[in-house]
Amino acid sequence: MSINSYENYPLTWRPDKKKLHRPIYQSLITQLEADILSNKLQKNTRLPSQRELADFLDINFTTVGQAYKLGLEKGLLYTSIGSGTFVSPNAFTSITISSDQVPDHVIDFGLVSSFDECNEMITPFIQSVSQNHATNGLLSYREPLGTTYQLTIAKNWLETQGVYASREQIAIVSGVQNGLAITLAALFSPGDRLAVDRYTYSNFIELAHLYHMEIVPIDFDMEGMLPELLEQECRKKEIHGIFLMPSCNNPIGFQLSAKRRQQLKEVIARQQLIVIEDDIHSFLTTYNQKRTLPSFQQLLPEQTIYLAGMTKFICAGLRVAFLVFPEKYKQKIQQAIFNINVKTSSLDAEIVTQILCSETAQDILETKSNYTKQANERFDTLFNLPRPTNPLPFYRNLPVRNDLSPETIEQAFLNKGIRVYHSHRFTTQPQHDPFIRIALSSNPLEVLTKGLEIVKKEIVYFQR
């Protein structure tokens, strides 16, 4: 029996004890999800302390602790040191999976594509590979990490991005998202804590939650993640890995400076963190800057998993990425690849390989660079905002009021024929500087301009 009576005590959450069943901590989370979906619990609601809830339900204190820990791993809850445990702003979207389809009349600024009008440059290579007499050899389970030739070309291309590894340390995977799933499955365990930028790639957040890992947001400035705050969090409680997008953070658009990379390297080396380096934008950044900043794979080769995707560079429909790993992780990475993929499409990999060996790769690069410049210029014409430290990102941000719900803002734009993503999708905790992210690379330039003009007209209702 509980020691205290909570009949008149103002608990913010009162689970139904009659609905509890073993394992109790899981049934508690099931009730939590139901109460979030039914709006009984709102975002940022402070939950009862573990002791209060245990006393109210007449269960063990550690059982509530297990439930809250599971809630953190699933992205339903977040904690604030000294303040308690709260319902995450992303809790609803963590529970429900919404369709990525939008009506034809809607201009989609949510999805980050890569100027699909360039895809016509890819068609001849698809035809050539499919008609080659050796194509049959690409249709089997053989060489699941990629053929020797494909890995050699991958190695050569990676060196242009400042990444140096042997063929035996490279695997061809089905896109960066697939590579992230492989990495988390191979090198981390449920409950592990992963440091990320305060705003970061939303799919990485959801993937980490799927694997029951805890996201630890670290603040940043326009040079990147703040190393002193990373070290501070490491001292509070063990952190196992760190996820970085050094060339162009999604959604903010900053590029990690050479100085900041070195500062972070020192903290990461001291704390022995595994680095997950998602450098999907490096192809464009390196080309436009005419120089290569040191990758973490170069700075910390024994601690870094490096991922370079071809979906933004070559074609979104060709799901190919290069995953580079230290020799000591080779067995674990390969085992995860075999268990998750069996193998990546050799046909897709061969098409990408043939393009990288051709002059068309440079043509694509120049064309996408030109489109990106024009897209950013059109944004600048309508919105008087500074560019991020990566001057040619695929996305830009517009600040919005923090007293309006993300769902209200997204739906209002959708009603006007524009899909945008609110910044709450890119974080796990309430933030003081909300914005909407505008993807610049997902529409032809004339459609982009039309959509930006609509956003310009409507954004005034959501800004102070």
Side-chain angles (χ1 to χ4, degrees):
M1 294 293 292
S2 61
I3 299 171
N4 301 310
S5 172
Y6 284 87
E7 290 182 9
N8 300 311
Y9 191 84
L11 287 177
T12 54
W13 183 40
R14 291 172 172 261
D16 187 346
K17 185 176 179 179
K18 295 178 181 178
K19 293 182 180 180
L20 295 180
H21 54 79
R22 296 185 182 279
I24 293 175
Y25 76 96
Q26 288 186 351
S27 66
L28 269 176
I29 287 301
T30 299
Q31 285 199 54
L32 179 74
E33 291 177 334
D35 288 346
I36 289 169
L37 289 172
S38 65
N39 292 318
K40 290 181 181 178
L41 281 175
Q42 302 295 318
K43 65 179 183 178
N44 302 323
T45 298
R46 184 183 183 278
L47 295 186
S49 71
Q50 295 179 26
R51 197 167 297 282
E52 283 178 326
L53 194 57
D55 204 17
F56 170 67
L57 295 171
D58 194 18
I59 61 177
N60 193 288
F61 167 82
T62 58
T63 301
V64 178
Q66 280 183 290
Y68 280 9
K69 182 180 179 182
L70 180 58
L72 289 168
E73 292 169 357
K74 296 182 71 172
L76 307 177
L77 305 175
Y78 70 92
T79 59
S80 178
I81 295 176
S83 298
T85 303
F86 299 81
V87 176
S88 170
N90 284 346
F92 188 90
T93 51
S94 292
I95 298 168
T96 60
I97 301 175
S98 58
S99 171
D100 198 44
Q101 299 298 316
V102 294
D104 290 339
H105 72 277
V106 171
I107 298 174
D108 191 353
F109 286 157
L111 177 70
V112 181
S113 189
S114 183
F115 299 108
D116 289 345
E117 52 266 49
C118 292
N119 288 351
E120 62 183 22
M121 302 166 75
I122 308 300
T123 305
F125 292 89
I126 297 174
Q127 294 171 338
S128 174
V129 171
S130 65
Q131 293 169 5
N132 191 300
H133 70 277
T135 298
N136 282 345
L138 303 174
L139 303 180
S140 69
Y141 276 140
R142 288 180 296 175
E143 299 176 293
L145 303 183
T147 69
T148 300
Y149 178 66
Q150 291 167 354
L151 292 171
T152 299
I153 300 305
K155 175 181 180 295
N156 295 341
W157 182 83
L158 286 163
E159 288 177 359
T160 69
Q161 309 301 304
V163 175
Y164 300 92
S166 68
R167 282 198 313 251
E168 291 71 29
Q169 293 173 271
I170 302 170
I172 298 176
V173 296
S174 300
V176 166
Q177 187 71 10
N178 176 248
L180 292 173
I182 288 165
T183 301
L184 292 183
L187 304 181
F188 298 93
S189 301
D192 280 358
R193 304 175 80 235
L194 305 173
V196 302
D197 293 304
R198 179 165 61 89
Y199 286 116
T200 194
Y201 179 42
S202 58
N203 284 14
F204 182 78
I205 293 175
E206 295 304 321
L207 187 61
H209 290 158
L210 185 66
Y211 281 107
H212 305 299
M213 295 166 192
E214 183 180 346
I215 292 294
V216 182
I218 311 292
D219 208 355
F220 53 82
D221 59 20
M222 283 301 103
E223 287 191 76
M225 183 182 290
L226 294 167
E228 62 272 20
L229 295 185
L230 172 62
E231 187 134 52
Q232 181 179 314
E233 286 294 336
C234 289
R235 288 171 179 166
K236 287 179 184 177
K237 189 177 178 182
E238 183 180 8
I239 291 179
H240 303 83
I242 180 170
F243 173 75
L244 295 168
M245 306 184 80
S247 293
C248 189
N249 164 279
N250 180 3
I252 301 297
F254 63 73
Q255 177 183 201
L256 279 170
S257 68
K259 178 182 177 182
R260 185 59 51 84
R261 293 176 193 226
Q262 186 63 39
Q263 292 170 333
L264 285 169
K265 170 200 168 182
E266 293 171 4
V267 177
I268 291 166
R270 277 196 299 273
Q271 300 295 334
Q272 286 297 296
L273 306 181
I274 298 174
V275 182
I276 305 172
E277 184 173 13
D278 180 352
D279 220 14
I280 196 168
H281 208 267
S282 68
F283 75 97
L284 198 59
T285 302
T286 300
Y287 173 76
N288 285 302
Q289 294 180 158
K290 310 303 180 188
R291 66 189 180 112
T292 305
L293 291 178
S295 64
F296 284 92
Q297 191 277 338
Q298 184 179 345
L299 294 170
L300 293 165
E302 294 305 309
Q303 293 175 234
T304 301
I305 303 296
Y306 180 91
L307 283 157
M310 296 291 104
T311 55
K312 297 297 185 286
F313 177 15
I314 303 296
C315 173
L318 293 172
R319 308 305 299 173
V320 171
F322 303 139
L323 188 158
V324 182
F325 47 85
E327 182 65 31
K328 65 181 179 181
Y329 294 141
K330 181 175 182 178
Q331 184 176 354
K332 289 183 177 180
I333 291 289
Q334 288 185 348
Q335 184 179 9
I337 289 173
F338 300 152
N339 288 330
I340 291 175
N341 277 1
V342 179
K343 70 167 292 171
T344 302
S345 166
S346 292
L347 201 59
D348 285 3
E350 186 65 20
I351 294 167
V352 167
T353 299
Q354 296 298 332
I355 293 169
L356 290 178
C357 291
S358 73
E359 294 180 357
T360 300
Q362 185 69 15
D363 294 340
I364 294 171
L365 187 52
E366 292 174 359
T367 302
K368 290 195 176 183
S369 175
N370 183 47
Y371 280 148
T372 309
K373 288 177 182 176
Q374 291 187 60
N376 277 277
E377 287 167 358
R378 295 187 186 202
F379 183 93
D380 292 339
T381 299
L382 291 168
F383 304 100
N384 184 27
L385 292 169
R387 290 197 187 183
T389 48
N390 185 313
L392 289 179
F394 277 171
Y395 23 77
R396 301 287 292 275
N397 300 323
L398 293 169
V400 293
R401 291 161 51 182
N402 59 12
D403 61 335
L404 296 174
S405 75
E407 294 78 18
T408 296
I409 294 174
E410 288 186 356
Q411 188 59 50
F413 277 103
L414 198 58
N415 292 342
K416 296 296 182 179
I418 304 290
R419 183 167 81 159
V420 297
Y421 283 161
H422 190 279
S423 57
H424 86 292
R425 293 176 178 267
F426 304 95
T427 187
T428 59
Q429 297 182 5
Q431 304 295 344
H432 65 279
D433 51 355
F435 56 85
I436 57 170
R437 190 197 68 179
I438 307 292
L440 300 179
S441 58
S442 298
N443 299 279
L445 292 174
E446 61 273 15
V447 178
L448 170 70
T449 302
K450 178 183 176 182
L452 290 177
E453 289 171 348
I454 296 171
V455 172
K456 173 73 173 179
K457 180 180 178 181
E458 297 300 321
I459 194 68
V460 295
Y461 299 110
F462 306 105
Q463 296 179 322
R464 294 192 187 280

